[in-house]
Each structure stands twice: as C-alpha cells, then as structure tokens.
Amino acid sequence: MGASESIAQLDATFGIAGIARVVAGNGGLPKVVVTGAAAAGEMYLLGGEITSWKPRGREQALFVSAASKWEDGKTIRGGVPVCFPWFGNKADDPKGPAHGFVRAKAWGLDSIAQKGGAVTVSMSTASDEGTRKLWPAEFRLVLRATFGAELIMELEMMNTGSAPLRFEEALHTYFRVGDVTKARVRGLDGIHYLDKTDAFREKTQQGDVVIAKETDNVYLDTEHAVEIEDAAMRRRIRVSKENSLATVVWNPWIEKAKAMSDMGDEEWKEFVCVETCNVGKHGVTLAPAANHTLKTIISIASA
Ligand code: BG6
C-alpha cells in the first residue's frame, strides 16, 4: 500500500467532515488538520508532533522552522517534539539519538473526537524491535492533544513490561514570539536551575528570564505555571502543567542557530522553547503495569 493510499484510508476511518482531515503534509508526511469551532491545528504522525495551534481570533502560537526537514526518520524543527525516554544526550551513549527516539518515529493515529468546539487527536507509539535496541523496555506512549481555546497536551506513558522503568520526558514546545529579545518568561524568579551552557552549573534565577544570549536552563522543582510575555506580539502565553517537576527554557541564539542545518540563520528571534518536563533528578520511575501522565495546558491572553 502506498503512502497516499494509507493517508486516504486514515482519512476515511478517522476524518470528521468539516472538522478534521488526514492529508499529506510537508514532505508528503501524513498529518491531521483540525478546523474546529474553537481552534485550528495540525499534528503529524511523525513523532506524534503538533506543529500548529491557532485558537479562534488569535495568531499562530507555535513556531516551525522554514528550514525544517520533513522526512521519515528525521526530526521536525519546531512545533512540540516529544522527547522520550531520555532528554538531551543518552547518558550511556553520546551517539544515541538526542532527546530519545520517539520524535523521529512514525506514530499511529488512534482517534479523533470533538466536544464543545474543541477537537482531541490521540496518537500513540510503542516498544518494538527497533526501540529495544536503543532502550530495553516495554512501553506504550500516548499523546492526546486537545485543540480548543486552550491547547491541552497529555502524554501518557504505560509500562507494559515486567520490570520497573526509569525515563525522562519533555513536551519541547516552540512558542512563536514577535521578537525573543523583547520577550520575558515570568514565574521562575528565585528558582534553582542547571545552566547547560555553563557545564550544568546550578544557579538561581534572578527576576524574569530574558533572552540575551544562548539560553539552555533546566529549572528544578517547578510544578507551577509560567508565562511568556511577548511585547512584540502584545500577548501573554500561559503554560500550566500537572505531573511535571521541571521546566526547560531554551533559545539557541545567533551562533548555534547558524550552525543548525534545519534552522534559518535569523529564526532564533522568532521563538522561545518552554518545555514541560521531567528530566534529570526528576526522571520518572514506573512499576510494571503502572502509568504516568504528563499534562500541559497552554492559553493565550492579550497583553
Ligand atoms: C533543548 C536542550 O531542550 O533542546 C538543548 O536543552 C538542545 O540542549 C535543544 O540544544 C535542541 O535540541 P535538538 O536535539 O532538537 O537540536
């Protein structure tokens, strides 16, 4: 069966007239396009990755690079990559795929449903021969994305094996901003963080986070919401969460963006990543047959 035939089949099975369709997206990759009463959105089967969320009456909330590669087995630059089962480099193998392997894997589409103007798309992936070579574990991972006035993302991990598992996870959200140098991330004042640009040294945040250089901070013990104030677009994006103890704030700044083959030289100005996660000492241990759901709720208000 060719890719376009399977896209047509997925659309016939899961599409909802006027509300959700499965179509060929960039690079011919299958994506779900949602056009609900409360919001429009897009989600690729590659990585179970959300690439667009536009609540009614507002501008696009997410950044996707114009230089992104759109290929099976490659990662999409922007949107909401799912990092799992490790974050950053693999601890015991620096050659392992960065941020784990599920973001470059084709996920399955499980359901599309609408309720009160919002549309929920559910995709999943599970352990197989390929994942066992990288991580000897049995699991099932589901991402339920609700595209409404809020964007709600629930990442549910199930330990389907007979041994306990330890993993890291992140919803690595690229928020679109008008000018990152004029944006601030509020809500992290006084919080301890690991500065990845300075050999993971532990520091204390003073005031709001402003992006004035490469920024790669892992904020620890952060269960609470943060807010991105985007002066250029005159809006505030609120990121609240459940079952998440860490928050990462990342922007590559000038040199690193230039060195990335899937990011335009000037695009670093157009986004800040605020990542709802459980990483490092906040990694999750899961008993056999147990599950864990990381949840984040995004909303936008005028500034
Ligand atoms: C961030 C990490 O979450 O993702 C950074 O903290 C990393 O260290 C960035 O550079 C982008 O990662 P990647 O693998 O998508 O280039």
Side-chain angles (χ1 to χ4, degrees):
M1 186 168 47
S4 56
E5 279 165 284
S6 66
I7 288 170
Q9 275 197 353
L10 286 170
D11 187 47
T13 309
F14 296 103
I16 306 173
I19 301 288
R21 293 186 59 206
V22 184
V23 301
N26 291 327
L29 297 168
K31 71 173 176 185
V32 175
V33 177
V34 166
T35 44
E42 295 190 355
M43 186 170 175
Y44 278 77
L45 273 76
L46 174 59
E49 185 152 340
I50 298 162
T51 53
S52 167
W53 171 54
K54 197 175 169 304
R56 176 175 279 270
R58 299 213 177 264
E59 290 193 58
Q60 177 60 247
L62 303 177
F63 165 87
V64 176
S65 171
S68 178
K69 313 229 183 330
W70 299 94
E71 254 177 79
D72 262 330
K74 296 253 160 70
T75 60
I76 297 169
R77 177 63 67 194
V80 189
V82 176
C83 306
F84 174 90
W86 58 84
F87 182 79
N89 292 332
K90 187 167 191 258
D92 57 0
D93 177 10
K95 290 203 193 100
H99 289 328
F101 46 77
V102 300
R103 64 177 178 160
K105 199 171 179 282
W107 290 37
L109 174 57
D110 296 334
S111 65
I112 306 177
Q114 64 162 322
K115 197 178 170 192
V119 179
T120 301
V121 181
S122 187
M123 295 190 187
S124 65
T125 188
S127 45
D128 59 26
E129 240 174 78
T131 69
R132 283 177 206 118
K133 283 186 194 139
L134 293 159
W135 194 52
E138 300 303 314
F139 70 92
R140 178 172 152 79
L141 192 65
V142 177
L143 181 62
R144 280 183 297 277
T146 299
F147 299 88
E150 296 175 329
L151 173 64
I152 303 171
M153 297 180 266
E154 291 168 285
L155 184 68
E156 183 179 4
M157 157 66 179
M158 285 154 259
N159 181 351
T160 54
S162 52
L165 292 178
R166 187 163 175 86
F167 61 90
E168 295 174 292
E169 56 184 349
L171 293 165
H172 190 310
T173 312
Y174 286 71
F175 290 101
R176 178 179 171 226
V177 291
D179 176 350
V180 81
T181 65
K182 295 195 173 77
R184 323 177 74 81
V185 181
R186 296 197 188 281
L188 295 167
D189 185 23
I191 304 281
H192 289 248
Y193 67 94
L194 305 178
D195 184 346
K196 289 178 76 174
T197 71
D198 189 12
F200 286 82
R201 273 205 181 87
E202 187 163 334
K203 302 181 178 175
T204 305
Q205 180 64 38
Q206 311 287 336
D208 296 337
V209 183
V210 289
I211 309 291
K213 61 179 178 62
E214 181 189 350
T215 302
D216 196 352
N217 298 342
V218 182
Y219 292 89
L220 305 168
D221 301 294
T222 50
E223 287 179 80
H224 61 282
V226 300
E227 226 169 59
I228 302 165
E229 193 183 286
D230 179 357
M233 286 181 80
R234 292 211 202 98
R235 67 180 184 181
R236 282 179 288 122
I237 300 176
R238 186 174 175 82
V239 183
S240 50
K241 55 192 195 149
E242 291 171 21
N243 285 334
S244 159
L245 291 174
T247 304
V248 171
V249 177
W250 178 67
N251 180 278
W253 198 247
I254 303 165
E255 295 310 324
K256 199 155 184 184
K258 273 194 187 146
M260 292 164 81
S261 64
D262 58 353
M263 186 175 291
D265 288 358
E266 302 293 323
E267 283 186 324
W268 60 272
K269 290 178 190 155
E270 297 172 28
F271 72 89
V272 61
C273 287
V274 174
E275 310 171 31
T276 293
C277 50
N278 286 307
V279 303
K281 70 167 187 171
H282 296 307
V284 178
T285 301
L286 208 53
N291 43 2
H292 167 93
T293 302
L294 174 77
K295 181 171 177 180
T296 189
I297 302 162
I298 318 290
S299 59
I300 305 183
S302 302

